[in-house]
Amino acid sequence: MSAMATATPQGHIEVENFSLSYETIDGLVDAVTNTHIHVKPGEFVSIVGPSGCGKSTFLNAVAGFLKPTTGTITVDGERVSGPSAERGMVFQQYSLFPWKTVRENVEFGLKMRGMPRSQRERAARTLLGLAGLEAFEKHYPEKLSGGMKQRVGIVRALATGPKVLLLDEPFGALDAQTRVIMQQILTNMWQRLKISVLFVTHDIDEAIFLSDRVYCMTARPGSIKAEIPIPLERPRQQSVMMSSEFLALRRGLMSLIREESLKAMGGEINDLGMQGLNIELHGHSLVEVL
Amino acid sequence: MPAAAAVTESMSAPVTAPTAPPSFGAPAGRWYRLNQNRLRATAIGVISLAAFLLVWHLLTTYRVVFFVRFTNVPSPLAVYASFTKAIHDPKFLLHILLSCRRIFIGFSLAAIVGVPLGLIMGRFKLVHEAVFPVAEVLRPIPAIAWVPMAIMLWPTNEQSIVFITFLGSFFPILVNTLHGMSLVDPVLVRAAQCLGARERSIFREVYFPASLPHIFTGLTIGMGVAWVSLIAAEMISGQYGIGYFTWEAYSLVQYADIALGMIAIGVLGLGSSLLIRGAGQLVMPWRAK
């Protein structure tokens, strides 16, 4: 609501010199190092990277669940110090409250804000209508399909009118067809609400199809390896994924990621390989040699 | 309505006609097919109960002695006779009433203390660290072992029996509530936090409902142990109560009353756990199948 009233667009994310490490028995382990990113108001930005590169850790820090070891995260100039309804989040595991009906889930953020019951019921119904879920408002989440659950998850995160929407591999658990439809729904909602989106995924096609800009992360410890603008025209149809422009972007990102994935896995493979080569059994059993 | 029924019947006819009994109407036939398993379970249950009664009857009328001696064991008919007499006896009803009251007070106190304590221990580490060791030391002591101590602690017999009942149900309730709290999905807590929920709301809207299934497991187990503890306490130190009634029957050589007391305890125990299950279904509609 306030976003509509003010002249300056909101939801400007600025992350500077970010790093996050945690302590283990072997000492400090870096999850993410020296990362700079920004999301302009109303922009759709994705972060892709090999699995385990720390992109989810990074998103959790933007959400306010984790404190950066160094660096700062600001939204519209205000420093992030903890989770807040200003930054809506959508989780891979849907994370709907099983004990609340679909509508009660959507109402939750408004209830926390102290909105009276009748008012928030009306708001929730409107939002569910936009997502094509009005017929399911009284269902419990358990009864819904994965795609429906995640639509509820997105609507729930948007209900409070956040400045920023953070999505952590939201479609990772869905089948391919459902994923495509969900991408379309998300795009429609984003265009209608003009909200800033930070989207984490390991799916390169998804990142290109959805985003204005894609950040590619390195293998652990994660940092930004490249920043790729996606100049594809909007609105985008599914057919854009066959265009030569899309395929060229895809090839570029693919090779960047493959390099990092190999780096991430290479260490393990080589170490194992070396061990295998150095052990000579000479007719003894492995246990005897060791 | 008849038209619709005819349509569905004709549509389902090719598939189901051979199995559906022809005398049933379509809805009755469908009801039968959908509830077949439950009907079968009920029928077998009734048959097995009847068989149990029959075996009991035969063993007692022929006074079988085969390792176990059925010489003095009352027959089902004798028990039934003493049951018809007992339900007109205000003293018997008083026994039952008093036992139920002790269960109600002891169990309710255990739930009122155990559930909030478990929730708080699950949420605040310091409380957990402080209370848990004491609870772990006291927990393995059977409620019956508390009888002498309870008689010393409390001024009246009534209070000590309620105390024993409380102790019996308290630990299962506490432990299961704690367990439920430890299993709360942290992602749900995060989801609530980034929807603007503060500590108090998270407790009420996430931790509590998420723990409810385990709380009810605790209440069900607690209710069972409450009856065990109550009967033991009544047998040792009571002057009233169904446990005392059963023990007294033995002392007074009223053998049929022994079985009557046992059956009454069984029925009361079953009834109270059904009550808890029903309450659980009311409180947790999302778990209804």
Side-chain angles (χ1 to χ4, degrees), chain A residues 56-66 73 75 80-85 87-89 91 166 198, chain B residues 190 193-194:
Chain A
S56 289
T57 308
F58 179 70
L59 197 72
N60 276 317
V62 178
F65 297 129
L66 300 170
I73 304 169
V75 174
V80 169
S81 59
S84 134
R87 278 157 280 128
M89 183 134 178
F91 303 84
L166 310 170
L198 188 56
Chain B
R190 289 183 170 194
Q193 282 174 331
C194 64

mmCIF file with all atom_site columns, all heavy atoms in Angstrom, chain A residues 56-66 73 75 80-85 87-89 91 166 198, chain B residues 190 193-194:
data_model
loop_
_atom_site.group_PDB
_atom_site.id
_atom_site.type_symbol
_atom_site.label_atom_id
_atom_site.label_alt_id
_atom_site.label_comp_id
_atom_site.label_asym_id
_atom_site.label_entity_id
_atom_site.label_seq_id
_atom_site.pdbx_PDB_ins_code
_atom_site.Cartn_x
_atom_site.Cartn_y
_atom_site.Cartn_z
_atom_site.occupancy
_atom_site.B_iso_or_equiv
_atom_site.pdbx_formal_charge
_atom_site.auth_seq_id
_atom_site.auth_comp_id
_atom_site.auth_asym_id
_atom_site.auth_atom_id
_atom_site.pdbx_PDB_model_num
ATOM 1   N N   . SER A 1 56  ? 21.945 -20.376 -0.959 1.00 0.00 ? 56  SER A N   1
ATOM 2   C CA  . SER A 1 56  ? 20.828 -20.341 -0.003 1.00 0.00 ? 56  SER A CA  1
ATOM 3   C C   . SER A 1 56  ? 21.232 -19.657 1.298  1.00 0.00 ? 56  SER A C   1
ATOM 4   O O   . SER A 1 56  ? 20.458 -18.905 1.890  1.00 0.00 ? 56  SER A O   1
ATOM 5   C CB  . SER A 1 56  ? 20.343 -21.766 0.302  1.00 0.00 ? 56  SER A CB  1
ATOM 6   O OG  . SER A 1 56  ? 19.673 -22.295 -0.814 1.00 0.00 ? 56  SER A OG  1
ATOM 7   N N   . THR A 1 57  ? 22.467 -19.912 1.720  1.00 0.00 ? 57  THR A N   1
ATOM 8   C CA  . THR A 1 57  ? 22.998 -19.236 2.900  1.00 0.00 ? 57  THR A CA  1
ATOM 9   C C   . THR A 1 57  ? 22.933 -17.725 2.707  1.00 0.00 ? 57  THR A C   1
ATOM 10  O O   . THR A 1 57  ? 22.501 -16.980 3.587  1.00 0.00 ? 57  THR A O   1
ATOM 11  C CB  . THR A 1 57  ? 24.464 -19.665 3.132  1.00 0.00 ? 57  THR A CB  1
ATOM 12  O OG1 . THR A 1 57  ? 24.519 -21.079 3.152  1.00 0.00 ? 57  THR A OG1 1
ATOM 13  C CG2 . THR A 1 57  ? 25.008 -19.094 4.419  1.00 0.00 ? 57  THR A CG2 1
ATOM 14  N N   . PHE A 1 58  ? 23.337 -17.315 1.515  1.00 0.00 ? 58  PHE A N   1
ATOM 15  C CA  . PHE A 1 58  ? 23.335 -15.896 1.190  1.00 0.00 ? 58  PHE A CA  1
ATOM 16  C C   . PHE A 1 58  ? 21.921 -15.316 1.267  1.00 0.00 ? 58  PHE A C   1
ATOM 17  O O   . PHE A 1 58  ? 21.684 -14.275 1.871  1.00 0.00 ? 58  PHE A O   1
ATOM 18  C CB  . PHE A 1 58  ? 23.927 -15.709 -0.215 1.00 0.00 ? 58  PHE A CB  1
ATOM 19  C CG  . PHE A 1 58  ? 23.948 -14.295 -0.678 1.00 0.00 ? 58  PHE A CG  1
ATOM 20  C CD1 . PHE A 1 58  ? 24.814 -13.378 -0.099 1.00 0.00 ? 58  PHE A CD1 1
ATOM 21  C CD2 . PHE A 1 58  ? 23.091 -13.869 -1.680 1.00 0.00 ? 58  PHE A CD2 1
ATOM 22  C CE1 . PHE A 1 58  ? 24.835 -12.069 -0.523 1.00 0.00 ? 58  PHE A CE1 1
ATOM 23  C CE2 . PHE A 1 58  ? 23.094 -12.556 -2.103 1.00 0.00 ? 58  PHE A CE2 1
ATOM 24  C CZ  . PHE A 1 58  ? 23.969 -11.649 -1.524 1.00 0.00 ? 58  PHE A CZ  1
ATOM 25  N N   . LEU A 1 59  ? 20.968 -16.053 0.693  1.00 0.00 ? 59  LEU A N   1
ATOM 26  C CA  . LEU A 1 59  ? 19.578 -15.574 0.695  1.00 0.00 ? 59  LEU A CA  1
ATOM 27  C C   . LEU A 1 59  ? 19.032 -15.487 2.127  1.00 0.00 ? 59  LEU A C   1
ATOM 28  O O   . LEU A 1 59  ? 18.312 -14.560 2.474  1.00 0.00 ? 59  LEU A O   1
ATOM 29  C CB  . LEU A 1 59  ? 18.699 -16.498 -0.150 1.00 0.00 ? 59  LEU A CB  1
ATOM 30  C CG  . LEU A 1 59  ? 17.357 -15.894 -0.544 1.00 0.00 ? 59  LEU A CG  1
ATOM 31  C CD1 . LEU A 1 59  ? 17.544 -14.816 -1.593 1.00 0.00 ? 59  LEU A CD1 1
ATOM 32  C CD2 . LEU A 1 59  ? 16.403 -16.952 -1.057 1.00 0.00 ? 59  LEU A CD2 1
ATOM 33  N N   . ASN A 1 60  ? 19.395 -16.487 2.945  1.00 0.00 ? 60  ASN A N   1
ATOM 34  C CA  . ASN A 1 60  ? 18.962 -16.462 4.338  1.00 0.00 ? 60  ASN A CA  1
ATOM 35  C C   . ASN A 1 60  ? 19.520 -15.262 5.092  1.00 0.00 ? 60  ASN A C   1
ATOM 36  O O   . ASN A 1 60  ? 18.888 -14.758 6.021  1.00 0.00 ? 60  ASN A O   1
ATOM 37  C CB  . ASN A 1 60  ? 19.361 -17.762 5.047  1.00 0.00 ? 60  ASN A CB  1
ATOM 38  C CG  . ASN A 1 60  ? 18.348 -18.868 4.800  1.00 0.00 ? 60  ASN A CG  1
ATOM 39  O OD1 . ASN A 1 60  ? 17.154 -18.627 4.850  1.00 0.00 ? 60  ASN A OD1 1
ATOM 40  N ND2 . ASN A 1 60  ? 18.838 -20.058 4.525  1.00 0.00 ? 60  ASN A ND2 1
ATOM 41  N N   . ALA A 1 61  ? 20.717 -14.822 4.682  1.00 0.00 ? 61  ALA A N   1
ATOM 42  C CA  . ALA A 1 61  ? 21.284 -13.622 5.296  1.00 0.00 ? 61  ALA A CA  1
ATOM 43  C C   . ALA A 1 61  ? 20.504 -12.386 4.866  1.00 0.00 ? 61  ALA A C   1
ATOM 44  O O   . ALA A 1 61  ? 20.225 -11.499 5.674  1.00 0.00 ? 61  ALA A O   1
ATOM 45  C CB  . ALA A 1 61  ? 22.760 -13.494 4.926  1.00 0.00 ? 61  ALA A CB  1
ATOM 46  N N   . VAL A 1 62  ? 20.112 -12.339 3.598  1.00 0.00 ? 62  VAL A N   1
ATOM 47  C CA  . VAL A 1 62  ? 19.314 -11.194 3.125  1.00 0.00 ? 62  VAL A CA  1
ATOM 48  C C   . VAL A 1 62  ? 17.959 -11.174 3.846  1.00 0.00 ? 62  VAL A C   1
ATOM 49  O O   . VAL A 1 62  ? 17.436 -10.117 4.192  1.00 0.00 ? 62  VAL A O   1
ATOM 50  C CB  . VAL A 1 62  ? 19.115 -11.245 1.588  1.00 0.00 ? 62  VAL A CB  1
ATOM 51  C CG1 . VAL A 1 62  ? 18.252 -10.081 1.123  1.00 0.00 ? 62  VAL A CG1 1
ATOM 52  C CG2 . VAL A 1 62  ? 20.464 -11.216 0.876  1.00 0.00 ? 62  VAL A CG2 1
ATOM 53  N N   . ALA A 1 63  ? 17.419 -12.380 4.092  1.00 0.00 ? 63  ALA A N   1
ATOM 54  C CA  . ALA A 1 63  ? 16.143 -12.463 4.809  1.00 0.00 ? 63  ALA A CA  1
ATOM 55  C C   . ALA A 1 63  ? 16.291 -12.020 6.258  1.00 0.00 ? 63  ALA A C   1
ATOM 56  O O   . ALA A 1 63  ? 15.310 -11.649 6.900  1.00 0.00 ? 63  ALA A O   1
ATOM 57  C CB  . ALA A 1 63  ? 15.606 -13.887 4.751  1.00 0.00 ? 63  ALA A CB  1
ATOM 58  N N   . GLY A 1 64  ? 17.520 -12.079 6.783  1.00 0.00 ? 64  GLY A N   1
ATOM 59  C CA  . GLY A 1 64  ? 17.763 -11.652 8.155  1.00 0.00 ? 64  GLY A CA  1
ATOM 60  C C   . GLY A 1 64  ? 17.887 -12.805 9.129  1.00 0.00 ? 64  GLY A C   1
ATOM 61  O O   . GLY A 1 64  ? 17.947 -12.591 10.335 1.00 0.00 ? 64  GLY A O   1
ATOM 62  N N   . PHE A 1 65  ? 17.928 -14.029 8.626  1.00 0.00 ? 65  PHE A N   1
ATOM 63  C CA  . PHE A 1 65  ? 18.044 -15.193 9.523  1.00 0.00 ? 65  PHE A CA  1
ATOM 64  C C   . PHE A 1 65  ? 19.479 -15.429 9.948  1.00 0.00 ? 65  PHE A C   1
ATOM 65  O O   . PHE A 1 65  ? 19.730 -16.022 10.990 1.00 0.00 ? 65  PHE A O   1
ATOM 66  C CB  . PHE A 1 65  ? 17.511 -16.450 8.833  1.00 0.00 ? 65  PHE A CB  1
ATOM 67  C CG  . PHE A 1 65  ? 16.055 -16.385 8.496  1.00 0.00 ? 65  PHE A CG  1
ATOM 68  C CD1 . PHE A 1 65  ? 15.608 -16.668 7.219  1.00 0.00 ? 65  PHE A CD1 1
ATOM 69  C CD2 . PHE A 1 65  ? 15.123 -16.022 9.459  1.00 0.00 ? 65  PHE A CD2 1
ATOM 70  C CE1 . PHE A 1 65  ? 14.262 -16.596 6.901  1.00 0.00 ? 65  PHE A CE1 1
ATOM 71  C CE2 . PHE A 1 65  ? 13.782 -15.951 9.153  1.00 0.00 ? 65  PHE A CE2 1
ATOM 72  C CZ  . PHE A 1 65  ? 13.351 -16.233 7.869  1.00 0.00 ? 65  PHE A CZ  1
ATOM 73  N N   . LEU A 1 66  ? 20.421 -15.008 9.115  1.00 0.00 ? 66  LEU A N   1
ATOM 74  C CA  . LEU A 1 66  ? 21.828 -15.199 9.439  1.00 0.00 ? 66  LEU A CA  1
ATOM 75  C C   . LEU A 1 66  ? 22.514 -13.840 9.433  1.00 0.00 ? 66  LEU A C   1
ATOM 76  O O   . LEU A 1 66  ? 22.183 -12.979 8.620  1.00 0.00 ? 66  LEU A O   1
ATOM 77  C CB  . LEU A 1 66  ? 22.499 -16.111 8.397  1.00 0.00 ? 66  LEU A CB  1
ATOM 78  C CG  . LEU A 1 66  ? 21.931 -17.519 8.251  1.00 0.00 ? 66  LEU A CG  1
ATOM 79  C CD1 . LEU A 1 66  ? 22.541 -18.207 7.026  1.00 0.00 ? 66  LEU A CD1 1
ATOM 80  C CD2 . LEU A 1 66  ? 22.191 -18.334 9.498  1.00 0.00 ? 66  LEU A CD2 1
ATOM 81  N N   . ILE A 1 73  ? 24.200 -5.583  4.524  1.00 0.00 ? 73  ILE A N   1
ATOM 82  C CA  . ILE A 1 73  ? 23.047 -5.781  3.646  1.00 0.00 ? 73  ILE A CA  1
ATOM 83  C C   . ILE A 1 73  ? 22.072 -4.658  3.967  1.00 0.00 ? 73  ILE A C   1
ATOM 84  O O   . ILE A 1 73  ? 21.701 -4.484  5.131  1.00 0.00 ? 73  ILE A O   1
ATOM 85  C CB  . ILE A 1 73  ? 22.371 -7.135  3.922  1.00 0.00 ? 73  ILE A CB  1
ATOM 86  C CG1 . ILE A 1 73  ? 23.386 -8.277  3.779  1.00 0.00 ? 73  ILE A CG1 1
ATOM 87  C CG2 . ILE A 1 73  ? 21.175 -7.346  3.000  1.00 0.00 ? 73  ILE A CG2 1
ATOM 88  C CD1 . ILE A 1 73  ? 22.883 -9.606  4.292  1.00 0.00 ? 73  ILE A CD1 1
ATOM 89  N N   . VAL A 1 75  ? 18.341 -2.637  2.678  1.00 0.00 ? 75  VAL A N   1
ATOM 90  C CA  . VAL A 1 75  ? 17.186 -2.534  1.794  1.00 0.00 ? 75  VAL A CA  1
ATOM 91  C C   . VAL A 1 75  ? 16.673 -1.104  1.907  1.00 0.00 ? 75  VAL A C   1
ATOM 92  O O   . VAL A 1 75  ? 16.329 -0.658  3.002  1.00 0.00 ? 75  VAL A O   1
ATOM 93  C CB  . VAL A 1 75  ? 16.089 -3.541  2.184  1.00 0.00 ? 75  VAL A CB  1
ATOM 94  C CG1 . VAL A 1 75  ? 14.838 -3.315  1.344  1.00 0.00 ? 75  VAL A CG1 1
ATOM 95  C CG2 . VAL A 1 75  ? 16.578 -4.968  2.015  1.00 0.00 ? 75  VAL A CG2 1
ATOM 96  N N   . VAL A 1 80  ? 19.748 -4.477  7.276  1.00 0.00 ? 80  VAL A N   1
ATOM 97  C CA  . VAL A 1 80  ? 18.994 -5.673  7.677  1.00 0.00 ? 80  VAL A CA  1
ATOM 98  C C   . VAL A 1 80  ? 19.563 -6.202  8.984  1.00 0.00 ? 80  VAL A C   1
ATOM 99  O O   . VAL A 1 80  ? 20.752 -6.468  9.083  1.00 0.00 ? 80  VAL A O   1
ATOM 100 C CB  . VAL A 1 80  ? 19.096 -6.753  6.589  1.00 0.00 ? 80  VAL A CB  1
ATOM 101 C CG1 . VAL A 1 80  ? 18.561 -8.083  7.105  1.00 0.00 ? 80  VAL A CG1 1
ATOM 102 C CG2 . VAL A 1 80  ? 18.363 -6.323  5.333  1.00 0.00 ? 80  VAL A CG2 1
ATOM 103 N N   . SER A 1 81  ? 18.711 -6.282  10.014 1.00 0.00 ? 81  SER A N   1
ATOM 104 C CA  . SER A 1 81  ? 19.228 -6.767  11.296 1.00 0.00 ? 81  SER A CA  1
ATOM 105 C C   . SER A 1 81  ? 18.463 -7.992  11.778 1.00 0.00 ? 81  SER A C   1
ATOM 106 O O   . SER A 1 81  ? 18.803 -8.579  12.800 1.00 0.00 ? 81  SER A O   1
ATOM 107 C CB  . SER A 1 81  ? 19.129 -5.650  12.345 1.00 0.00 ? 81  SER A CB  1
ATOM 108 O OG  . SER A 1 81  ? 17.779 -5.254  12.461 1.00 0.00 ? 81  SER A OG  1
ATOM 109 N N   . GLY A 1 82  ? 17.442 -8.387  11.066 1.00 0.00 ? 82  GLY A N   1
ATOM 110 C CA  . GLY A 1 82  ? 16.676 -9.572  11.458 1.00 0.00 ? 82  GLY A CA  1
ATOM 111 C C   . GLY A 1 82  ? 15.536 -9.762  10.489 1.00 0.00 ? 82  GLY A C   1
ATOM 112 O O   . GLY A 1 82  ? 15.303 -8.919  9.630  1.00 0.00 ? 82  GLY A O   1
ATOM 113 N N   . PRO A 1 83  ? 14.824 -10.901 10.614 1.00 0.00 ? 83  PRO A N   1
ATOM 114 C CA  . PRO A 1 83  ? 13.709 -11.132 9.691  1.00 0.00 ? 83  PRO A CA  1
ATOM 115 C C   . PRO A 1 83  ? 12.613 -10.091 9.881  1.00 0.00 ? 83  PRO A C   1
ATOM 116 O O   . PRO A 1 83  ? 12.410 -9.586  10.983 1.00 0.00 ? 83  PRO A O   1
ATOM 117 C CB  . PRO A 1 83  ? 13.202 -12.526 10.076 1.00 0.00 ? 83  PRO A CB  1
ATOM 118 C CG  . PRO A 1 83  ? 13.752 -12.802 11.423 1.00 0.00 ? 83  PRO A CG  1
ATOM 119 C CD  . PRO A 1 83  ? 15.009 -12.009 11.555 1.00 0.00 ? 83  PRO A CD  1
ATOM 120 N N   . SER A 1 84  ? 11.943 -9.761  8.795  1.00 0.00 ? 84  SER A N   1
ATOM 121 C CA  . SER A 1 84  ? 10.884 -8.759  8.859  1.00 0.00 ? 84  SER A CA  1
ATOM 122 C C   . SER A 1 84  ? 9.893  -9.004  7.727  1.00 0.00 ? 84  SER A C   1
ATOM 123 O O   . SER A 1 84  ? 10.228 -9.600  6.705  1.00 0.00 ? 84  SER A O   1
ATOM 124 C CB  . SER A 1 84  ? 11.498 -7.360  8.756  1.00 0.00 ? 84  SER A CB  1
ATOM 125 O OG  . SER A 1 84  ? 10.787 -6.571  7.841  1.00 0.00 ? 84  SER A OG  1
ATOM 126 N N   . ALA A 1 85  ? 8.678  -8.527  7.928  1.00 0.00 ? 85  ALA A N   1
ATOM 127 C CA  . ALA A 1 85  ? 7.640  -8.708  6.919  1.00 0.00 ? 85  ALA A CA  1
ATOM 128 C C   . ALA A 1 85  ? 7.913  -7.871  5.676  1.00 0.00 ? 85  ALA A C   1
ATOM 129 O O   . ALA A 1 85  ? 7.257  -8.029  4.661  1.00 0.00 ? 85  ALA A O   1
ATOM 130 C CB  . ALA A 1 85  ? 6.276  -8.341  7.510  1.00 0.00 ? 85  ALA A CB  1
ATOM 131 N N   . ARG A 1 87  ? 10.528 -8.176  3.944  1.00 0.00 ? 87  ARG A N   1
ATOM 132 C CA  . ARG A 1 87  ? 11.173 -9.082  3.006  1.00 0.00 ? 87  ARG A CA  1
ATOM 133 C C   . ARG A 1 87  ? 10.439 -10.415 3.047  1.00 0.00 ? 87  ARG A C   1
ATOM 134 O O   . ARG A 1 87  ? 10.649 -11.231 3.937  1.00 0.00 ? 87  ARG A O   1
ATOM 135 C CB  . ARG A 1 87  ? 12.646 -9.270  3.385  1.00 0.00 ? 87  ARG A CB  1
ATOM 136 C CG  . ARG A 1 87  ? 13.538 -8.146  2.875  1.00 0.00 ? 87  ARG A CG  1
ATOM 137 C CD  . ARG A 1 87  ? 14.799 -8.024  3.673  1.00 0.00 ? 87  ARG A CD  1
ATOM 138 N NE  . ARG A 1 87  ? 14.553 -7.305  4.931  1.00 0.00 ? 87  ARG A NE  1
ATOM 139 C CZ  . ARG A 1 87  ? 14.905 -7.765  6.119  1.00 0.00 ? 87  ARG A CZ  1
ATOM 140 N NH1 . ARG A 1 87  ? 15.517 -8.916  6.225  1.00 0.00 ? 87  ARG A NH1 1
ATOM 141 N NH2 . ARG A 1 87  ? 14.629 -7.062  7.197  1.00 0.00 ? 87  ARG A NH2 1
ATOM 142 N N   . GLY A 1 88  ? 9.525  -10.608 2.106  1.00 0.00 ? 88  GLY A N   1
ATOM 143 C CA  . GLY A 1 88  ? 8.755  -11.847 2.043  1.00 0.00 ? 88  GLY A CA  1
ATOM 144 C C   . GLY A 1 88  ? 9.634  -12.975 1.545  1.00 0.00 ? 88  GLY A C   1
ATOM 145 O O   . GLY A 1 88  ? 10.542 -12.743 0.749  1.00 0.00 ? 88  GLY A O   1
ATOM 146 N N   . MET A 1 89  ? 9.387  -14.192 2.057  1.00 0.00 ? 89  MET A N   1
ATOM 147 C CA  . MET A 1 89  ? 10.239 -15.307 1.639  1.00 0.00 ? 89  MET A CA  1
ATOM 148 C C   . MET A 1 89  ? 9.393  -16.502 1.229  1.00 0.00 ? 89  MET A C   1
ATOM 149 O O   . MET A 1 89  ? 8.390  -16.814 1.855  1.00 0.00 ? 89  MET A O   1
ATOM 150 C CB  . MET A 1 89  ? 11.185 -15.671 2.785  1.00 0.00 ? 89  MET A CB  1
ATOM 151 C CG  . MET A 1 89  ? 12.152 -16.767 2.428  1.00 0.00 ? 89  MET A CG  1
ATOM 152 S SD  . MET A 1 89  ? 13.827 -16.364 2.932  1.00 0.00 ? 89  MET A SD  1
ATOM 153 C CE  . MET A 1 89  ? 14.714 -17.837 2.454  1.00 0.00 ? 89  MET A CE  1
ATOM 154 N N   . PHE A 1 91  ? 9.855  -20.627 0.385  1.00 0.00 ? 91  PHE A N   1
ATOM 155 C CA  . PHE A 1 91  ? 10.804 -21.696 0.671  1.00 0.00 ? 91  PHE A CA  1
ATOM 156 C C   . PHE A 1 91  ? 10.613 -22.883 -0.280 1.00 0.00 ? 91  PHE A C   1
ATOM 157 O O   . PHE A 1 91  ? 9.511  -23.125 -0.768 1.00 0.00 ? 91  PHE A O   1
ATOM 158 C CB  . PHE A 1 91  ? 10.619 -22.191 2.098  1.00 0.00 ? 91  PHE A CB  1
ATOM 159 C CG  . PHE A 1 91  ? 10.750 -21.125 3.134  1.00 0.00 ? 91  PHE A CG  1
ATOM 160 C CD1 . PHE A 1 91  ? 9.670  -20.319 3.468  1.00 0.00 ? 91  PHE A CD1 1
ATOM 161 C CD2 . PHE A 1 91  ? 11.960 -20.912 3.778  1.00 0.00 ? 91  PHE A CD2 1
ATOM 162 C CE1 . PHE A 1 91  ? 9.789  -19.330 4.423  1.00 0.00 ? 91  PHE A CE1 1
ATOM 163 C CE2 . PHE A 1 91  ? 12.087 -19.915 4.735  1.00 0.00 ? 91  PHE A CE2 1
ATOM 164 C CZ  . PHE A 1 91  ? 10.999 -19.124 5.068  1.00 0.00 ? 91  PHE A CZ  1
ATOM 165 N N   . LEU A 1 166 ? 11.911 -12.802 -1.645 1.00 0.00 ? 166 LEU A N   1
ATOM 166 C CA  . LEU A 1 166 ? 13.065 -13.690 -1.719 1.00 0.00 ? 166 LEU A CA  1
ATOM 167 C C   . LEU A 1 166 ? 12.562 -15.110 -1.943 1.00 0.00 ? 166 LEU A C   1
ATOM 168 O O   . LEU A 1 166 ? 11.677 -15.574 -1.233 1.00 0.00 ? 166 LEU A O   1
ATOM 169 C CB  . LEU A 1 166 ? 13.861 -13.630 -0.415 1.00 0.00 ? 166 LEU A CB  1
ATOM 170 C CG  . LEU A 1 166 ? 14.222 -12.233 0.102  1.00 0.00 ? 166 LEU A CG  1
ATOM 171 C CD1 . LEU A 1 166 ? 14.779 -12.323 1.510  1.00 0.00 ? 166 LEU A CD1 1
ATOM 172 C CD2 . LEU A 1 166 ? 15.225 -11.576 -0.830 1.00 0.00 ? 166 LEU A CD2 1
ATOM 173 N N   . LEU A 1 198 ? 14.517 -11.420 -5.537 1.00 0.00 ? 198 LEU A N   1
ATOM 174 C CA  . LEU A 1 198 ? 15.809 -12.089 -5.540 1.00 0.00 ? 198 LEU A CA  1
ATOM 175 C C   . LEU A 1 198 ? 15.523 -13.590 -5.505 1.00 0.00 ? 198 LEU A C   1
ATOM 176 O O   . LEU A 1 198 ? 14.898 -14.091 -4.571 1.00 0.00 ? 198 LEU A O   1
ATOM 177 C CB  . LEU A 1 198 ? 16.645 -11.657 -4.327 1.00 0.00 ? 198 LEU A CB  1
ATOM 178 C CG  . LEU A 1 198 ? 18.096 -12.129 -4.307 1.00 0.00 ? 198 LEU A CG  1
ATOM 179 C CD1 . LEU A 1 198 ? 18.835 -11.712 -5.555 1.00 0.00 ? 198 LEU A CD1 1
ATOM 180 C CD2 . LEU A 1 198 ? 18.808 -11.583 -3.071 1.00 0.00 ? 198 LEU A CD2 1
ATOM 181 N N   . ARG B 2 190 ? 10.896 -19.882 10.752 1.00 0.00 ? 190 ARG B N   1
ATOM 182 C CA  . ARG B 2 190 ? 11.415 -18.833 9.876  1.00 0.00 ? 190 ARG B CA  1
ATOM 183 C C   . ARG B 2 190 ? 10.304 -18.217 9.040  1.00 0.00 ? 190 ARG B C   1
ATOM 184 O O   . ARG B 2 190 ? 10.254 -17.002 8.850  1.00 0.00 ? 190 ARG B O   1
ATOM 185 C CB  . ARG B 2 190 ? 12.484 -19.409 8.949  1.00 0.00 ? 190 ARG B CB  1
ATOM 186 C CG  . ARG B 2 190 ? 13.751 -19.739 9.668  1.00 0.00 ? 190 ARG B CG  1
ATOM 187 C CD  . ARG B 2 190 ? 14.799 -20.230 8.712  1.00 0.00 ? 190 ARG B CD  1
ATOM 188 N NE  . ARG B 2 190 ? 16.071 -20.307 9.398  1.00 0.00 ? 190 ARG B NE  1
ATOM 189 C CZ  . ARG B 2 190 ? 17.240 -20.452 8.795  1.00 0.00 ? 190 ARG B CZ  1
ATOM 190 N NH1 . ARG B 2 190 ? 17.275 -20.548 7.485  1.00 0.00 ? 190 ARG B NH1 1
ATOM 191 N NH2 . ARG B 2 190 ? 18.353 -20.498 9.480  1.00 0.00 ? 190 ARG B NH2 1
ATOM 192 N N   . GLN B 2 193 ? 8.497  -15.863 11.088 1.00 0.00 ? 193 GLN B N   1
ATOM 193 C CA  . GLN B 2 193 ? 9.293  -14.659 11.377 1.00 0.00 ? 193 GLN B CA  1
ATOM 194 C C   . GLN B 2 193 ? 9.268  -13.684 10.210 1.00 0.00 ? 193 GLN B C   1
ATOM 195 O O   . GLN B 2 193 ? 9.131  -12.480 10.398 1.00 0.00 ? 193 GLN B O   1
ATOM 196 C CB  . GLN B 2 193 ? 10.740 -15.040 11.681 1.00 0.00 ? 193 GLN B CB  1
ATOM 197 C CG  . GLN B 2 193 ? 10.916 -15.572 13.089 1.00 0.00 ? 193 GLN B CG  1
ATOM 198 C CD  . GLN B 2 193 ? 12.321 -16.075 13.331 1.00 0.00 ? 193 GLN B CD  1
ATOM 199 O OE1 . GLN B 2 193 ? 13.003 -16.523 12.412 1.00 0.00 ? 193 GLN B OE1 1
ATOM 200 N NE2 . GLN B 2 193 ? 12.755 -16.012 14.576 1.00 0.00 ? 193 GLN B NE2 1
ATOM 201 N N   . CYS B 2 194 ? 9.390  -14.209 8.984  1.00 0.00 ? 194 CYS B N   1
ATOM 202 C CA  . CYS B 2 194 ? 9.441  -13.237 7.884  1.00 0.00 ? 194 CYS B CA  1
ATOM 203 C C   . CYS B 2 194 ? 8.041  -12.858 7.429  1.00 0.00 ? 194 CYS B C   1
ATOM 204 O O   . CYS B 2 194 ? 7.876  -12.180 6.419  1.00 0.00 ? 194 CYS B O   1
ATOM 205 C CB  . CYS B 2 194 ? 10.361 -13.681 6.752  1.00 0.00 ? 194 CYS B CB  1
ATOM 206 S SG  . CYS B 2 194 ? 9.856  -15.131 5.912  1.00 0.00 ? 194 CYS B SG  1
#
